[in-house]
């Protein structure tokens, strides 16, 4: 019977590192908190270009937490805080 190395046995139970542990992961999370992220907006999602926990609405400058981000323009590469504001921006009324 093949034996697993201690490292693979350890990671088989914990596939992702615990972000609450001290060290680099914790420092990265702390430095991203309350910081605006830069994002590249695509038709079906977005990709973060720089760390942060929110983006700013292009019209109102309101903080939009990344987990709440639903509206953006791929063409303009702008985020919007609501469907109404997104529509106004698309019609040139914002």
């Amino acid at each position: 019977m093949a034996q697993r190395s201690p490292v693979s046995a350890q990671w088989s139970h914990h596939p992702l590192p615990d972000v609450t542990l001290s060290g680099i992961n914790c420092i990265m999370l702390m430095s991203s908190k309350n910081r605006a992220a830069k994002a590249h907006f695509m038709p079906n999602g977005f990709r973060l270009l720089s760390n942060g926990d929110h983006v700013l609405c292009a019209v109102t400058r309101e903080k939009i937490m990344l987990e709440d981000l639903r509206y953006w323009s791929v063409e303009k590469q702008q985020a919007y805080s609501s469907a109404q504001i997104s529509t106004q921006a698309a019609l040139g009324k914002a």
Side-chain angles (χ1 to χ4, degrees):
M1 179 157 101
Q3 293 184 15
R4 290 192 290 176
S5 70
V7 173
S8 64
Q10 174 188 1
W11 287 105
S12 67
H13 298 291
H14 303 289
L16 297 175
D18 184 354
V19 294
T20 60
L21 296 174
S22 61
I24 295 173
N25 290 337
C26 188
I27 291 169
M28 286 173 54
L29 287 174
M30 288 173 47
S31 65
S32 297
K33 194 171 185 174
N34 206 24
R35 172 192 255 177
K38 290 186 182 182
H40 175 74
F41 300 106
M42 299 175 288
N44 295 316
F46 57 89
R47 180 174 40 123
L48 292 182
L49 302 175
S50 69
N51 289 337
D53 64 353
H54 68 277
V55 292
L56 298 178
C57 175
V59 176
T60 66
R61 307 308 291 165
E62 174 184 350
K63 281 185 183 181
I64 309 165
M65 301 306 289
L66 293 177
E67 59 268 16
D68 298 328
L69 180 59
R70 302 287 182 269
Y71 309 101
W72 59 81
S73 168
V74 173
E75 183 179 318
K76 295 179 183 180
Q77 288 295 299
Q78 295 177 333
Y80 305 108
S81 58
S82 71
Q84 180 180 8
I85 291 171
S86 174
T87 303
Q88 289 174 349
L91 297 174
K93 296 181 180 181

